[in-house]
């Protein structure tokens, strides 16, 4: 998938994916790693936002609110019949989810507040 036009933000922390809600059985991959689910929002430049749960092998060092990159993200359709009712959707899997890097946030000191003397000077210019 080309992710270059999307911004991902972690909206739910990594948690073990359950195979069975009733028993609490945790899903593992072929290598025996616990599979985790990370909740992400995916926003494009037009402002459209989708929420996706991404499955990853092992715990991920990301937290809620961090801008992240899902590495090796793959989407695949699924369908199943439960109790005679057909369900379908798209599942997402990634090799890992990493923090995208620091985001430049303007410092409160970046634009100094006007001093009292400059405020008086500006008021005098108006009068």
């Amino acid at each position: 998938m080309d992710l270059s036009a999307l911004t991902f933000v972690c909206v739910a922390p990594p948690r073990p994916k359950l195979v069975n809600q009733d028993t609490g059985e945790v899903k593992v991959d072929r290598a025996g790693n616990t599979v985790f689910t990370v909740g992400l929002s995916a926003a494009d430049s037009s402002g459209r936002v989708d929420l996706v749960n991404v499955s990853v092998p092992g715990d991920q060092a990301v937290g809620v609110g961090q801008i992240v990159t899902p590495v090796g993200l793959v989407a695949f359709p699924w369908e199943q019949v439960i109790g005679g009712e057909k369900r379908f959707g798209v599942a997402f899997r990634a090799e890992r989810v990493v923090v995208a890097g620091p985001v430049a946030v303007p410092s409160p000191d970046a634009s100094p507040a006007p001093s009292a003397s400059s405020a008086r000077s500006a008021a005098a210019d108006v009068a």
Side-chain angles (χ1 to χ4, degrees), residues 24-119:
E25 179 184 358
V26 175
K27 182 173 182 153
V28 294
D29 64 11
R30 291 184 180 125
N33 300 311
T34 298
V35 176
F36 281 73
T37 299
V38 182
L40 304 178
S41 68
D44 65 17
S45 60
S46 70
R48 178 180 171 171
V49 177
D50 287 309
L51 299 176
V52 295
N53 284 317
V54 179
S55 295
V56 290
D59 200 356
Q60 306 295 298
V62 297
V64 172
Q66 290 182 307
I67 297 174
V68 298
T69 301
V71 178
L73 185 65
V74 177
F76 53 95
W78 61 268
E79 68 177 52
Q80 63 185 14
V81 177
I82 297 178
E85 191 173 317
K86 187 174 187 177
R87 299 181 59 195
F88 58 91
V90 178
F92 297 90
R93 181 177 57 231
E95 296 167 16
R96 64 188 183 281
V97 176
V98 297
V99 175
V103 176
V105 177
S107 156
D109 300 334
S111 58
S115 67
S117 63
S118 65

Side-chain angles (χ1 to χ4, degrees), residues 16-27:
K17 185 172 188 166
L18 298 179
V19 174
N20 186 318
Q21 300 283 337
D22 297 331
T23 66
E25 179 184 358
V26 175
K27 182 173 182 153

